[in-house]
Amino acid sequence: GFTLIELLIVVAIIGIIAAIAVPGLLRARMSGNEASAIGSLRAINSGQAAFSSSCGGGFYADTLEHLFAQPSGGTGFISPDLSTSSVVKSGFTVNLAAATTTTASTVDACSGAWKPTSAYYAKAEPTALNGTGTRSFATDPRGTIFQKVNSATADADPIPTTATPVQ
């Protein structure tokens, strides 16, 4: 049999190992959340490019709902997990908005329900800074994703020239 002292020593060793491992696991989880946010913004950039060339006549969708809308006889330009504004995905709130007030003179060619915009601004912000992520992200028609470290808010629109691109 084991004595009480031996069992306490084993429990103490397990506690020390857990104390060392937990912060690493939390950092790995935040890194995964941030990778998902970057992937979401890349999907939005790709969807906007496809929308612009097929439906928008060189213009862009102004909301995630419009970018997700299925043109007649086709599928939407982004996946269903990004189909609504202010969607929370992997601990990040993802949004898409028109960057300027310039709109096309005609409605979009696919649905005919709304007028596309000349530029867009998309952002992904952590729902809990240092809990779900340590960086926030933003992108625009340039296709570059910019990061803001230790901030719960992404770079504002228009994204400044001093913004840091994701490496």
Side-chain angles (χ1 to χ4, degrees):
F2 294 103
T3 67
L4 182 59
I5 298 297
E6 290 170 331
L7 290 175
L8 289 175
I9 290 172
V10 169
V11 169
I13 291 172
I14 290 172
I16 291 169
I17 292 171
I20 292 170
V22 168
L25 293 173
L26 292 176
R27 280 192 302 275
R29 183 172 155 212
M30 282 191 289
S31 179
N33 289 343
E34 290 176 351
S36 174
I38 292 169
S40 294
L41 292 181
R42 285 190 177 136
I44 289 171
N45 282 337
S46 296
Q48 288 284 27
F51 173 84
S52 177
S53 64
S54 64
C55 292
F59 288 84
Y60 302 101
D62 58 348
T63 64
L64 288 172
E65 289 86 359
H66 288 153
L67 192 56
F68 175 70
Q70 297 180 355
S72 57
T75 59
F77 298 98
I78 54 175
S79 61
D81 60 342
L82 293 172
S83 63
T84 59
S85 294
S86 297
V87 65
V88 176
K89 183 179 174 195
S90 297
F92 277 76
T93 303
V94 181
N95 270 308
L96 171 66
T100 63
T101 56
T102 305
T103 56
S105 58
T106 60
V107 295
D108 73 283
C110 292
S111 72
W114 53 277
K115 292 183 179 181
T117 183
S118 62
Y120 66 92
Y121 168 75
K123 64 182 178 179
E125 299 171 325
T127 55
L129 183 63
N130 296 323
T132 58
T134 59
R135 301 181 291 171
S136 56
F137 306 96
T139 190
D140 58 18
R142 294 176 283 181
T144 302
I145 298 173
F146 297 93
Q147 67 180 346
K148 201 170 178 187
V149 180
N150 293 323
S151 176
T153 57
D155 286 315
D157 177 43
I159 298 172
T161 57
T162 58
T164 306
V166 172
Q167 298 297 321

